[in-house]
Amino acid sequence: MGNKLENVRGFDLELMKSTREQLHQAVQLVSAVPRSYLPHDPSDELASLSWHEEREALESKQVAGFVFSLSLKEMYVSILNNDQEFEALALEGKSVNQGLRWLKEHVNKFGLAEEQLHLKLPYEIGIDNFDTSLKFHTETQQELSNLYAGAKAILDQVVKENMEASAIRCWPHHFDIATLIPLQENENGEVTSSLGVGFSPGDQVISQPYFYVNIWPDSLLSDLNKHDLWAGHWNDTEWSGAVLHYQDLLKASDVTKTVQHFISTTISRFRNSR
């Protein structure tokens, strides 16, 4: 099976932005369940999601034997038990708060206190409230689904090639899917520098989808950004690193190879700079 990046077609950036914002609201429902019921984690890692290739969906950690899933392609929330769909709700024309009420009805059946389920986010996503009806666009949903699937396949290879890399997770705060590669640790075993490698569907800093390799701390970028990248651009707004924009992908003769080479050469440059 080929990488889904081969299916990227190219859509108007404003339409992509609108679809991304709708999906970003909807995915908060999936993250809300583990955040509400699992033991508190200051890093919010418990609310992070995994990508399921066959369902083209982002899925939560297990809670009371159930997994909660958001299909990017068909835009519905589902509840899974033993990898089988138990219940599902189509979100077209519904608000996130309506979805929350639907979830409460079902978690109550699992012996979970419905009043404990909440949408109090430990971050902001630029949404005033969750009462607005969600409207979707099938073709751009599929485009974003292909980008997430393609990103996951490429990140799988990054993890294989970098044994210290973390598990690949999608983070509901920025809606990006990524792995973290520690570069250095101090005598206490604390990470003192690292690389984040991933894909974002866009955000308030870069409004279009993009692949990235960021570096922490920011000071490590100062010498590197004097040099040209094989592909993409240096970024020093809000965070430091290299980005490959959606519009760059559309110009590539082989999208998969372009992304792979962008990531591998950028990681090598950062590693060799230490």
Side-chain angles (χ1 to χ4, degrees):
M1 182 182 297
N3 188 295
K4 289 290 186 72
L5 292 179
E6 297 165 9
N7 300 327
V8 170
R9 296 168 50 191
F11 288 91
D12 175 77
L13 294 184
E14 282 301 313
L15 186 55
M16 291 288 286
K17 178 176 180 285
S18 175
T19 299
R20 178 252 297 172
E21 289 174 342
Q22 301 281 303
L23 290 167
H24 198 183
Q25 288 187 65
V27 82
Q28 305 307 320
L29 284 169
V30 180
S31 291
V33 185
R35 187 182 288 125
S36 297
Y37 295 107
L38 297 182
H40 177 66
D41 175 6
S43 73
D44 204 41
E45 193 273 338
L46 56 82
S48 67
L49 310 162
S50 60
W51 177 258
H52 192 286
E53 183 177 0
E54 292 181 6
R55 283 191 279 270
E56 297 189 50
L58 290 166
E59 302 190 342
S60 76
K61 291 181 180 292
Q62 191 175 108
V63 178
F66 293 86
V67 168
F68 299 79
S69 171
L70 174 69
S71 165
L72 299 196
K73 179 181 177 181
E74 299 178 6
M75 196 41 54
Y76 63 86
V77 172
S78 58
I79 304 172
L80 306 163
N81 180 246
N82 293 323
D83 210 38
Q84 299 297 313
E85 191 172 280
F86 178 73
E87 294 285 354
L89 175 71
L91 290 174
E92 173 71 27
K94 297 180 176 64
S95 70
V96 173
N97 277 332
Q98 285 178 301
L100 182 66
R101 288 193 288 272
W102 177 83
L103 280 175
K104 286 185 173 183
E105 292 173 5
H106 290 287
V107 297
N108 189 50
K109 300 174 186 176
F110 312 151
L112 299 171
E114 64 177 78
E115 65 273 11
Q116 196 172 329
L117 182 58
H118 66 82
L119 272 171
K120 299 172 185 175
L121 307 183
Y123 45 74
E124 295 182 2
I125 61 170
I127 304 300
D128 292 329
N129 62 67
F130 287 127
D131 289 319
T132 304
S133 296
L134 299 172
K135 302 293 182 184
F136 300 105
H137 186 270
T138 302
E139 290 183 321
T140 50
Q141 286 172 210
Q142 183 65 68
E143 185 88 336
L144 283 173
S145 181
N146 287 339
L147 285 163
Y148 274 98
K152 173 58 166 57
I154 287 174
L155 291 173
D156 281 338
Q157 188 62 38
V158 171
V159 170
K160 287 180 183 178
E161 294 172 355
N162 298 270
M163 298 297 291
E164 69 276 39
S166 69
I168 299 163
R169 305 296 294 174
C170 178
W171 299 85
H173 182 186
H174 294 294
F175 205 18
D176 61 325
I177 185 169
T179 181
L180 185 71
I181 304 174
L183 295 179
Q184 290 182 323
E185 297 181 350
N186 62 22
E187 61 275 11
N188 298 319
E190 299 167 329
V191 175
T192 56
S193 66
S194 63
L195 295 177
V197 184
F199 164 77
S200 167
D203 50 44
Q204 293 180 337
V205 177
I206 301 174
S207 61
Q208 63 180 292
Y210 61 93
F211 286 85
Y212 67 84
V213 181
N214 64 30
I215 191 162
W216 176 84
D218 294 349
S219 58
L220 297 179
L221 185 67
S222 58
D223 290 332
L224 289 170
N225 62 14
K226 298 173 185 176
H227 305 284
D228 290 336
L229 288 163
W230 175 83
H233 318 272
W234 292 114
N235 181 77
D236 58 5
T237 303
E238 299 287 335
W239 54 269
S240 297
V243 297
L244 184 67
H245 293 149
Y246 178 65
Q247 288 179 310
D248 296 326
L249 301 182
L250 303 179
K251 300 172 187 175
S253 58
D254 188 316
V255 177
T256 302
K257 287 184 178 178
T258 297
V259 175
Q260 288 173 329
H261 198 50
F262 161 74
I263 289 175
S264 63
T265 56
T266 306
I267 290 174
S268 293
R269 173 162 286 181
F270 280 138
R271 281 194 178 280
N272 293 337
S273 70
R274 288 185 295 160

